[in-house]
Amino acid sequence: MQGWLAFKVYTIPVENFQSFRVFHFLMDSKTRRDWICTKKNYSLVVLALCLLQHYLHVSIILVEATSEVHIVYLGEKKNDDPASTKKFHHQMLTTLLGSKEAAYRSIIYSYKHGFSGFAARLTESQAEAIAEFPGVVQVIRNRIHKLHTTRSWDFIGIHQHSSGNLLTKSMGKGTIIGLIDSGVWPESKSFNDEGMDPIPTHWKGICQQGEHFNSTNCNRKIIGARWFRKGAIEHFKNLNRTNTVVDFRSPRDGIGHGTHTASTAAGYFVKRANYRGLASGLARGGAPLAHLAIYKACWAFEGCTDADLLKAFDKAIHDGVDILSLSVGNVTPLFSYVDQRDSIAIGSFHATTKGITVVCSAGNDGPISQTIVNTAPWLITVAATTIDRVFPTAITLGNNHTLWGQSIDIEKHKHGFVGIIYSERIALDRTNDSAKDCQPGSLNATLASGKIVLCFSKSDQQDIESASNTVQEAGGVGLIFAQFPNDGLASCDIPCIRVGYEVGTQILSYIRKARFPIAKLSDPKTVIGKWASPRVASFSARGPSSMTPEVLKPDIAAPGVDIIAAFRPRDTKHSNGYALLSGTSMACPHVAGIAALIKSAHPNWSPSAIKSALVTTASQTGTDGTSISAEGLTRKEADPFDIGGGHVDPNKAIDPGLIFDASTEDYIKFLCSLGYSIASITRLAKTNINCITKTNGVNLNLPSITIPNLKRTATVTRTVTNVGHINSKYKALVQAPPGIKMTVEPQTLSFNITTQILPFKVIFFTTQKLHGDYKFGSLTWTDGEHLVRSPIAIRVIGFESYNDV
């Protein structure tokens, strides 16, 4: 019996022996007399026992070496008593492993507040065995997720001194924003609690202590903090990684990312905040009077594991947060929304059903189509855009011609002329072109020493930071990096300036003509309001969703390029630090802060109502009066797969007029439409599911309409709720996608004191017989005061087997 030890009375799995402290042989007295009657037999017994002990020892070591953290997901809780739920989890593990002691050693987390499940150390065979237990929805291995890594608030219209506006009156008072991220640096002035209201009475969280973090680090701004690392420790314990970045076994932020996102969402007012003199001004979060709850589940170089993320969700639901912000995500290919491997979809579903609005970043794999993540319909998924602030930096050539790039490296420039050279001229190996974009080890140190080096990016595989390291190691004193349009500036150890190919070519032309080319690099300046904006950032991930193309993603766009916010100080001598960072990680907390403002003004609004208000009031127009553009390999007009409903407009979102509301039941019907099993949906939602009556996924009551497979005609239904004037009349304004006929029935919606919810349908028709790409349009309802706009995306197909051909 391979893998089992068979004895007289019972059999015991080898991998279960680790749970036994003492193993007893069961023998009667006659058997013992017979066994000791001869020395030969006795010797054989001793030998057998020695061999058995060796076998057990080897087997147990093998079991422990191959144990991994698995998440056992049980769906919605069976009861509201956390202690009973936890006891049930331990009973399951005890049944599997054979003893309470083994169960205690195996389990690392019990999820018992927002949903039911646990994370435990299991072998592959143990995981397969427990997957067959009654009530188990899914068992999956622990996986890693990555972080998507003050002028912006004025830019989007939230001004400190505005009056008569619901947004600026509330400033997020009474709301709690939870951040699942890398922690917080509590000494930052952005987390000062001066002027903050008392802690809300519905708060049930704690201020968890740890390394360099205690209860005094919480206040009326940071009202709670927890940290979750068991999943990360188990995942990386056998990798023998050398981590050169300091992190803390506590809620204290070791990398700065969580501090930045928290202060962006709800940082308090800080005068003269700046990054080395750049971007100086009043720093503040979107909801400066909202409270913060910190959930550290992401660690330096280790990312964020499923086990830790789910525990953070579980505790946030228990603690009583109103908004959750996650600048974290998966990568494609995506998992289904009932698959535990998408821990963000699962955790956010349970949070949403409890009335918590969950905001997530779209990902940083743009500008390629279908790269967007966090695509579940109950999430608010945020794309990143630029703002109207830039940091122009002068490059003066030896012929007195001045060209311009951008940089955030200040006080590093020598302000004098030095030699400038093109990287290919100083290549160590002229048989390849690795020196062109200054790849590591590609430059001749003798020729680079003391010079500014011009490099041309060949692709997005080499960035300005890596190139600057190459130049510095070769003895260069400055870098000019020519590349295709790419948003977000990075700081280097030597002066580094980013330019486009056009400016880079002009500099190269000068180098080729001059006998002794020289150049001077100036310090960057801060310029506001002179560049057309916003633009969709080149890195911002794009739709359509590869998992559910009938759900428009992203939902909304917000500032995410060169955003200044609080950061971990560079050294222990300073308690405050500010940094300029770029990413959809930075866009996400902007929307989380605005969601808190809306929640504060409308405390009874559901997560879907808040999402609807954001999407239907968003802007599609830049500061120059033209359509918002999307940056990438080529610049184009932004479409709904770039910006969703558009660029967030908080002043309009606070008073949207109409909202598209959706309930848990609506989301369950949507999951049924995707063909998921009744059992998996039932356990997810803790309710009896009937998927017999099939519904069309396009009819989920979203504030957008997407039809990925229009064959000839389709009818889409929606329902709107009046949240504006009681007696109001809205008319439909139709902008049909090119080549598609679009009819709205009825064309007028009349609301009064007894009728505040009304349905309508939209009929799409096409005679097109060729396969097409997505076309875009919109449907806007207006009462003369409000514009309630739903973005539309339609793709015409001609036969059933069409699949991205």
Side-chain angles (χ1 to χ4, degrees), residues 75-76 137 338 349 353 663-695:
E76 190 60 68
V137 178
V338 295
F349 177 85
T353 62
S663 64
T664 300
E665 183 180 352
D666 294 324
Y667 293 130
I668 290 171
K669 290 179 180 178
F670 173 76
L671 295 176
C672 285
S673 75
L674 300 178
Y676 299 150
S677 71
I678 294 177
S680 63
I681 301 173
T682 298
R683 290 165 184 158
L684 176 72
K686 192 187 175 182
T687 184
N688 292 325
I689 307 299
N690 184 355
C691 290
I692 297 176
T693 303
K694 289 291 183 181
T695 57

Side-chain angles (χ1 to χ4, degrees), residues 503-517:
V503 171
T505 302
Q506 292 179 43
I507 297 171
L508 179 58
S509 296
Y510 162 74
I511 292 172
R512 286 170 171 166
K513 292 176 182 177
R515 187 173 182 182
F516 300 106

Side-chain angles (χ1 to χ4, degrees), residues 441-604:
S442 63
L443 303 181
N444 186 312
T446 302
L447 300 176
S449 180
K451 294 185 176 64
I452 298 168
V453 180
L454 171 67
C455 309
F456 277 76
S457 170
K458 296 183 297 181
S459 69
D460 59 358
Q461 298 303 309
Q462 174 72 330
D463 58 33
I464 192 169
E465 290 176 278
S466 176
S468 71
N469 291 336
T470 301
V471 171
Q472 184 180 22
E473 289 171 2
V477 296
L479 166 68
I480 300 173
F481 195 69
Q483 65 178 148
F484 66 90
N486 191 24
D487 293 298
L489 297 170
S491 179
C492 310
D493 291 332
I494 59 173
C496 58
I497 300 176
R498 189 186 69 197
V499 299
Y501 286 133
E502 180 181 351
V503 171
T505 302
Q506 292 179 43
I507 297 171
L508 179 58
S509 296
Y510 162 74
I511 292 172
R512 286 170 171 166
K513 292 176 182 177
R515 187 173 182 182
F516 300 106
I518 55 174
K520 179 176 70 173
L521 308 181
S522 300
D523 276 336
K525 303 180 183 299
T526 303
V527 176
I528 295 173
K530 299 297 184 180
W531 266 257
S533 51
R535 296 189 326 273
V536 181
S538 55
F539 57 76
S540 187
R542 312 298 163 93
S545 164
S546 58
M547 175 54 62
T548 48
E550 60 268 46
V551 177
L552 179 64
K553 291 291 175 175
D555 294 297
I556 197 77
V561 177
D562 297 328
I563 303 300
I564 188 169
F567 201 70
R568 178 190 171 175
R570 289 182 173 270
D571 56 67
T572 56
K573 296 179 181 179
H574 301 87
S575 61
N576 284 277
Y578 288 84
L580 288 161
L581 298 183
S582 299
T584 54
S585 278
M586 285 64 249
C588 172
H590 275 86
V591 174
I594 296 168
L597 295 176
I598 297 173
K599 184 71 173 179
S600 179
H602 304 288
N604 295 323

Side-chain angles (χ1 to χ4, degrees), residues 50-65:
C50 290
L51 290 173
L52 172 61
Q53 183 182 19
H54 174 74
Y55 178 61
L56 279 175
H57 180 68
V58 172
S59 299
I60 291 168
I61 291 174
L62 178 62
V63 167
E64 292 178 341

Side-chain angles (χ1 to χ4, degrees), residues 109-395:
Y109 288 130
S110 178
Y111 309 122
K112 54 187 182 293
H113 299 292
F115 48 93
S116 180
F118 55 89
R121 304 175 188 90
L122 301 173
T123 66
E124 190 65 31
S125 60
Q126 288 169 343
E128 292 172 357
I130 203 169
E132 301 300 321
F133 279 34
V136 174
V137 178
Q138 191 178 16
V139 179
I140 58 104
R141 281 195 183 97
N142 191 27
R143 297 168 55 255
I144 291 292
H145 300 255
K146 293 298 182 184
L147 294 164
H148 288 152
T149 216
T150 17
R151 161 68 186 167
S152 57
W153 292 111
D154 284 319
F155 177 67
I156 61 179
I158 300 180
H159 305 290
Q160 180 190 4
H161 301 296
S162 298
S163 59
N165 185 305
L166 280 174
L167 287 178
T168 50
K169 282 182 179 178
S170 73
M171 293 190 183
K173 280 186 179 182
T175 58
I176 303 171
I177 303 176
L179 276 292
I180 299 179
D181 211 298
S182 66
V184 70
W185 196 267
E187 291 82 8
S188 172
K189 291 181 180 178
S190 290
F191 307 122
N192 172 30
D193 67 354
E194 180 184 352
M196 293 292 300
D197 282 354
I199 297 172
T201 56
H202 69 276
W203 174 247
K204 295 185 290 184
I206 64 169
C207 191
Q208 185 180 1
Q209 299 188 38
E211 185 179 6
H212 298 296
F213 198 99
N214 57 47
S215 60
T216 64
N217 292 123
C218 292
N219 54 20
R220 287 175 298 168
K221 167 58 73 176
I222 301 174
I223 63 173
R226 299 180 187 265
W227 54 291
F228 313 94
R229 200 187 184 194
K230 293 178 181 177
I233 290 173
E234 289 296 323
H235 190 88
F236 290 101
K237 67 180 181 181
N238 296 322
L239 297 186
N240 296 320
R241 300 179 67 168
T242 301
N243 195 339
T244 58
V245 175
V246 175
D247 211 333
F248 304 92
R249 292 184 294 275
S250 73
R252 184 171 292 278
D253 189 0
I255 57 179
H257 188 277
T259 301
H260 198 280
T261 56
S263 63
T264 300
Y268 198 67
F269 303 100
V270 178
K271 295 180 179 179
R272 295 181 294 279
N274 65 86
Y275 174 72
R276 298 178 178 177
L278 293 174
S280 181
L282 179 70
R284 67 184 186 278
L289 297 185
H291 306 278
L292 285 168
I294 305 301
Y295 300 90
K296 182 176 179 178
C298 302
W299 301 84
F301 284 136
E302 296 172 0
C304 331
T305 69
D306 286 314
D308 295 335
L309 286 172
L310 282 171
K311 191 60 178 177
F313 269 112
D314 189 45
K315 285 296 187 182
I317 293 169
H318 166 269
D319 291 347
V321 303
D322 300 298
I323 312 292
L324 265 176
S325 179
L326 285 90
S327 294
V328 182
N330 270 316
V331 294
T332 53
L334 304 179
F335 297 104
S336 77
Y337 303 139
V338 295
D339 191 317
Q340 186 70 11
R341 286 172 289 185
D342 191 345
S343 56
I344 295 175
I346 295 290
S348 62
F349 177 85
H350 291 289
T352 302
T353 62
K354 305 298 189 296
I356 300 169
T357 300
V358 185
V359 186
C360 286
S361 48
N364 295 338
D365 290 331
I368 301 169
S369 175
Q370 301 183 53
T371 53
I372 193 161
V373 299
N374 294 325
T375 59
W378 46 84
L379 290 170
I380 300 176
T381 310
V382 189
T385 58
T386 64
I387 61 174
D388 63 346
R389 181 181 60 206
V390 293
F391 306 102
T393 309
I395 305 167

Side-chain angles (χ1 to χ4, degrees), residues 3 24 27 31 84 110 154 183 208 290 333 358 424 467 532 571 601 603 643 729:
H24 298 283
M27 296 182 286
T31 303
S84 298
S110 178
D154 284 319
Q208 185 180 1
V358 185
E424 279 196 326
D571 56 67
I643 56 174
K729 186 176 183 179

